[in-house]
Amino acid sequence: GHSFWRHEWDKHGTCSMSRFDQVSYFTAALNLKKTVDILSCLKAEGIFPNNRKYKKNHIFGILRREIGYKPAIQCNTKSGKQQLYQVHICVNKLGKQFINCKVSIKRKCTSPEIVFSRFPIF
């Protein structure tokens, strides 16, 4: 809904106001999203959101190969196990091309194996 898009703009988009208005910011993001299908590339390698553990480095390698650049993976901890929380894909300042992520990630995945949790059903 609108509150999600507002949050994303306020948290991430406003720092790019010298280059993008809201519409062009989200248009650029959606155009880049069309070029990578994270779930499909993981599924093709036998990795599914099924509450099982997978090797973190294997997931990272698949994503890096699919994107063509280094992503950042974020985990959270639930019931003492680290689980895949977010995949960050970084882009250049023009919003037109992926680049290697060099960001400092909170909640890093420190375990060699991480759980890929099922998606919640609403």
Side-chain angles (χ1 to χ4, degrees):
H2 291 281
S3 63
F4 172 76
W5 292 100
R6 184 177 306 113
H7 164 77
E8 292 303 307
W9 172 253
D10 290 344
K11 185 169 183 180
H12 305 291
T14 53
C15 66
S16 64
M17 287 191 329
S18 64
R19 289 185 177 84
F20 300 104
D21 61 17
Q22 288 179 353
V23 172
S24 58
Y25 173 82
F26 287 113
T27 299
L30 291 170
N31 286 337
L32 284 169
K33 182 185 180 302
K34 292 176 189 175
T35 67
V36 175
D37 186 343
I38 291 174
L39 287 177
S40 291
C41 74
L42 291 174
K43 286 179 182 179
E45 297 288 334
I47 298 175
F48 300 92
N50 55 10
N51 291 332
R52 292 192 180 152
K53 286 184 179 180
Y54 296 97
K55 293 189 183 301
K56 174 186 66 177
N57 289 340
H58 187 216
I59 291 173
F60 182 86
I62 293 166
L63 296 173
R64 186 173 186 154
R65 186 181 68 233
E66 176 70 13
I67 299 162
Y69 293 90
K70 179 182 155 191
I73 299 175
Q74 188 175 13
C75 287
N76 63 7
T77 303
K78 188 171 183 179
S79 302
K81 297 177 185 174
Q82 285 200 328
Q83 56 185 8
L84 182 61
Y85 178 64
Q86 290 185 10
V87 174
H88 297 258
I89 302 173
C90 300
V91 299
N92 68 0
K93 291 181 180 182
L94 299 176
K96 295 182 184 265
Q97 179 180 328
F98 297 124
I99 60 173
N100 287 325
C101 287
K102 298 175 185 173
V103 296
S104 176
I105 297 292
K106 294 179 183 177
R107 298 190 247 170
K108 288 186 178 185
C109 302
T110 56
S111 175
E113 292 189 322
I114 57 178
V115 174
F116 191 4
S117 297
R118 285 190 174 98
F119 298 129
I121 299 173
F122 298 98

